[in-house]
Amino acid sequence: LKRLKTLNFDGNPISINEMRFDKLPGSIEILKLNKCDLTEITDKMYDLQIKDLQLRENNITAIPAGISKMESLRKLSFYKNKLKSLPDDIYELRKLEALDLYYNKLNEVSPRIADFDSLSILYLAHNKLYDVPSEIGEMSQLRELYLHHNQINSLPESFGGLSSIRTLRLNDNIIPEFPEAILKMNQLEFLDISGNLLETLPNALSGLQNLKLFTYDKNQIDFEAVSNRHVAPMVSDMVERGVVCDPTVSKSYVRESN
C-alpha cells in the first residue's frame, strides 16, 4: 500500500467521521468519495496532502474551515451538492488549478475568488448567482469559466481582464446586452451566450480571431430589424473563416443586409 496513488470509495455509503484518515498511506494523491451519501465532511481529512479530492454527487451542505491546510490540492470537486457558501480559507489554496462547484446553491461569488493564483478552470454553473464580483477580472491565468444556468444579468467591465480565457459559457442567464468586455478576450476559442435576452450582437465580435465555436441561439435577435443589418453578414463572414456558429444565417438575410 505504500505506493498506492488512488483511493476510490465511490458508491459506498460511509460514515465520514469514522474514517481513519491518519491511517491512510502518505502516497495517496487522489481520494474519491463520490456518491457516498455524505451530508458533511470532517476537518480530520485536511491533514491529507493529496492532489485531487472528489466529493461529487453527495448532499454536503457546508465545508468546514481549515481546508487551506490541504496545500497540495490541484483539483477539488463538490459537483452536485448543496453548498450555499464557501469557507474564507478555501481561497488560500494557492496550488488549486480546477474547482468544480456545478449544481450547488451558491448565490454569490466572493471577491476573494481572485486569490486563487493557479486556478485555470472554474465551474460555477447551475447555481443561484445574480452577478460576479469585479475582482474576477484579475484572474488572468483562468482558461475556462463556466457560469451558465444562473440568473446573471450583467458582467463587470473588469471581465475583460480574463486575458487567458479560452472557453466561456454564459448561456441560460438573463443578460440583456452583449458584454463588451468579451471583445477584449483575444484568446477566446469557445463562446456560448445562448439562452439570454440579447437583441443584437456587436460588429466587433468578428475581431475575435481565435474563435472556433460561437453559440448564440435562443436570444431575441431580429435579423430583419434595421439596427441588426450588420449581424447576418458578420456571422456569415465568421462562418467562412471557419468559426462554427449556431445558429448560422440564411443567404437571403446576408443578401438583403448587403
Side-chain angles (χ1 to χ4, degrees):
L1 293 178
K2 291 182 178 180
R3 295 184 180 180
L4 190 65
K5 299 291 186 181
T6 301
L7 193 55
N8 189 342
F9 292 100
D10 287 359
N12 293 288
I14 61 175
S15 175
I16 197 75
N17 290 309
E18 293 179 5
M19 290 189 66
R20 295 296 304 274
F21 291 103
D22 58 327
K23 299 297 183 181
L24 296 181
S27 59
I28 296 294
E29 294 183 356
I30 302 173
L31 178 58
K32 297 183 177 183
L33 293 164
N34 305 310
K35 298 182 179 180
C36 291
D37 294 334
L38 298 177
T39 58
E40 61 180 346
I41 59 174
T42 173
D43 57 4
K44 293 178 181 178
M45 68 194 309
Y46 292 165
D47 289 327
L48 295 173
Q49 291 305 307
I50 57 178
K51 294 181 179 179
D52 186 344
L53 176 58
Q54 301 178 22
L55 293 152
R56 301 162 64 93
E57 297 186 65
N58 285 293
N59 293 296
I60 300 167
T61 58
I63 305 172
I67 195 170
S68 59
K69 292 171 65 178
M70 304 186 81
E71 297 177 351
S72 298
L73 268 185
R74 302 297 200 277
K75 299 179 180 180
L76 178 60
S77 178
F78 282 94
Y79 172 89
K80 275 195 176 182
N81 277 279
K82 297 181 179 179
L83 299 177
K84 293 183 179 181
S85 63
L86 303 176
D88 283 342
D89 72 315
I90 196 172
Y91 305 103
E92 297 170 21
L93 293 171
R94 303 300 188 192
K95 295 181 180 180
L96 196 66
E97 298 172 359
L99 177 60
D100 187 352
L101 296 167
Y102 257 37
Y103 287 101
N104 276 279
K105 298 180 181 297
L106 301 174
N107 58 24
E108 64 178 357
V109 178
S110 169
R112 292 200 62 192
I113 193 75
D115 290 348
F116 284 127
D117 296 333
S118 303
L119 200 68
S120 61
I121 305 175
L122 179 57
Y123 299 96
L124 286 168
H126 291 278
N127 276 281
K128 298 182 178 182
L129 303 178
Y130 292 91
D131 55 24
V132 291
S134 60
E135 287 80 3
I136 199 169
E138 299 172 17
M139 303 180 73
S140 59
Q141 78 286 354
L142 202 63
R143 295 172 62 90
E144 299 179 22
L145 178 57
Y146 302 86
L147 289 167
H148 54 94
H149 290 92
N150 280 288
Q151 294 293 311
I152 296 170
N153 58 23
S154 65
L155 296 171
E157 292 183 11
S158 63
F159 208 65
L162 298 175
S163 56
S164 299
I165 204 80
R166 264 67 169 177
T167 299
L168 178 60
R169 287 193 60 183
L170 296 167
N171 53 290
D172 296 281
N173 280 287
I174 51 174
I175 301 172
E177 298 180 359
F178 188 91
E180 295 290 323
I182 292 176
L183 302 176
K184 299 178 182 179
M185 298 177 176
N186 295 321
Q187 302 301 315
L188 193 60
E189 297 178 358
F190 305 98
L191 173 61
D192 189 346
I193 198 164
S194 59
N196 279 281
L197 304 176
L198 305 184
E199 295 183 356
T200 190
L201 297 173
N203 206 28
L205 181 62
S206 61
L208 294 177
Q209 295 297 314
N210 288 306
L211 204 60
K212 298 177 180 178
L213 175 63
F214 174 50
T215 306
Y216 65 102
D217 62 325
K218 299 178 183 177
N219 275 286
Q220 300 177 7
I221 300 172
D222 181 1
F223 288 97
E224 296 182 345
V226 174
S227 59
N228 281 337
R229 283 183 174 176
H230 68 285
V231 175
M234 178 189 69
V235 173
S236 179
D237 288 344
M238 291 169 66
V239 171
E240 286 185 8
R241 76 165 193 253
V243 182
V244 177
C245 295
D246 183 15
T248 55
V249 292
S250 68
K251 293 182 179 179
S252 62
Y253 278 139
V254 177
R255 285 196 299 269
E256 290 171 6
S257 298
N258 291 330

